[in-house]
Amino acid sequence: MTKLNPMSHDYFTTLNNRWMSIIDLRSSLQRAKALRTQQANLIARLEGQIAATKQSLDASTKFLTSSERLTVSSRAVTAKRKELVESSRTERHKLVTDINVEFEAIMDSDLHYQSAVQVLMRSSIGKDRRTLIAGQIEHAGPAELLSLAHLAAATGDQEMGAALVTRVSTLPASGRPFSSQSLASALVGATFEEAQLIFGEIEAIIVEALAADKTFETGKTDALGKIKAALLKRRNDAHKDRLDAANGIEPEHRDRTLVLLDDGKPAPGAGVTGTTLPDGGGVRETPAGAEARSEG
């Protein structure tokens, strides 16, 4: 995303600043997945026609030498692919364009999902209870703030959590009894990680769609596209594990996988290893918080 100066007078008019709720993000991703499935089915059908052409030629040219058969088959398959590429261009390009529309819509909204703290502070804005709690803890000390943070995390109280994050932000960094990011992760980590997973999945979908279309048009595997898709899968698996952890689900074990090109050989540098399991949840204390606990 382009880095713009928030103090610029045209910051909010030049920035991609689309808002999508987590429900909107899910819906857009599902539309993109459906379009990608349509594209895959279309290309599979077209490739089937090319394969049928080759099979028919192989059966009718048995009397030719191997080199002659290869030449005839290669020319016929190339001609058939060219024919199908042209006849399907409009339909194929519309599918890729429609997938890109969903991709742009989702990625334009990533500004609103930069951190769990951002999601938490937005979740209860304007709520009277949050304002009431903020007034009650205005003069609370570190030990009380830490205790309330544990209570908010244990009960899933986002309004209390947001009020606490606001309160500790007024304290010197060295004197804050708990990590705001840790508390936010405990309260809205699942929503934040789901958004990150959606951003990763939509990127993988557009990469796969472009690679599939290029592969069909050229008849050659888009190795770079396959490698990039594999790397995106690794990142998405990491997000999926964190989302599962946030929802109390044991992250699944992922074996090492390789991207294979047409010759069956691994693509250079394309190893995809298992993801690292996320740290435990809860409210992580800072050194100041441990000291406050002992004093409390």
Side-chain angles (χ1 to χ4, degrees):
M1 186 174 62
T2 303
K3 298 295 183 182
L4 300 174
N5 181 4
M7 300 306 292
S8 171
H9 73 281
D10 60 350
Y11 174 72
F12 292 104
T13 58
T14 58
L15 187 71
N16 287 333
N17 199 18
R18 182 182 308 209
W19 162 251
M20 293 182 78
S21 68
I22 193 66
I23 295 175
D24 296 331
L25 290 175
R26 290 172 191 158
S27 298
S28 185
L29 179 65
Q30 290 306 313
R31 288 193 295 271
K33 286 182 176 180
L35 289 165
R36 174 70 183 101
T37 298
Q38 290 180 41
Q39 183 207 32
N41 290 340
L42 171 62
I43 291 177
R45 177 169 56 82
L46 296 171
E47 289 287 3
Q49 294 180 38
I50 294 173
T53 296
K54 184 178 184 305
Q55 185 176 12
S56 176
L57 281 170
D58 289 344
S60 62
T61 58
K62 292 181 179 180
F63 60 90
L64 299 178
T65 65
S66 296
S67 61
E68 288 174 335
R69 285 201 305 271
L70 181 61
T71 299
V72 172
S73 177
S74 177
R75 288 176 179 175
V77 166
T78 298
K80 185 64 175 179
R81 183 176 296 278
K82 183 177 180 180
E83 172 195 334
L84 293 177
V85 164
E86 292 301 323
S87 65
S88 65
R89 189 179 302 280
T90 299
E91 185 177 4
R92 287 184 297 105
H93 285 193
K94 185 179 187 307
L95 285 169
V96 173
T97 299
D98 289 347
I99 292 173
N100 189 60
V101 168
E102 302 299 340
F103 169 76
E104 294 290 348
I106 289 176
M107 297 310 294
D108 280 355
S109 67
D110 73 341
L111 177 74
H112 304 290
Y113 295 89
Q114 296 293 303
S115 71
V117 170
Q118 182 189 35
V119 175
L120 174 63
M121 300 311 287
R122 181 173 63 235
S123 67
S124 61
I125 194 71
K127 297 290 184 64
D128 291 341
R129 182 169 174 272
R130 172 173 163 179
T131 302
L132 177 63
I133 294 173
Q136 291 177 333
I137 64 175
E138 183 177 1
H139 302 292
E144 183 179 0
L145 292 173
L146 178 60
S147 175
L148 290 173
H150 279 288
L151 177 63
T155 59
D157 193 331
Q158 295 182 18
E159 294 168 5
M160 182 185 293
L164 286 165
V165 168
T166 298
R167 174 69 180 90
V168 297
S169 69
T170 65
L171 300 177
S174 61
R176 294 172 185 172
F178 62 87
S179 163
S180 295
Q181 182 63 48
S182 180
L183 177 58
S185 294
L187 292 171
V188 296
T191 298
F192 174 70
E193 291 299 340
E194 182 180 0
Q196 300 310 303
L197 179 60
I198 289 173
F199 295 140
E201 288 189 334
I202 192 63
E203 187 176 359
I205 288 172
I206 192 65
V207 166
E208 290 171 355
L210 291 170
D213 194 67
K214 182 177 179 181
T215 296
F216 172 70
E217 288 201 348
T218 64
K220 298 178 181 178
T221 299
D222 181 4
L224 184 60
K226 290 191 72 172
I227 293 171
K228 186 174 182 181
L231 294 175
L232 286 170
K233 181 180 185 302
R234 178 174 65 181
R235 187 180 70 180
N236 293 342
D237 285 345
H239 286 152
K240 178 66 164 57
D241 286 344
R242 289 195 292 270
L243 178 59
D244 286 345
N247 287 323
I249 302 173
E250 183 70 21
E252 62 182 280
H253 173 72
R254 305 184 192 281
D255 294 327
R256 180 180 176 85
T257 58
L258 294 175
V259 181
L260 298 180
L261 303 183
D262 281 351
D263 58 5
K265 296 179 180 179
V272 180
T273 59
T275 57
T276 302
L277 297 182
D279 293 334
V283 180
R284 183 177 302 169
E285 291 185 23
T286 61
E291 182 179 350
R293 178 186 291 278
S294 65
E295 292 177 355

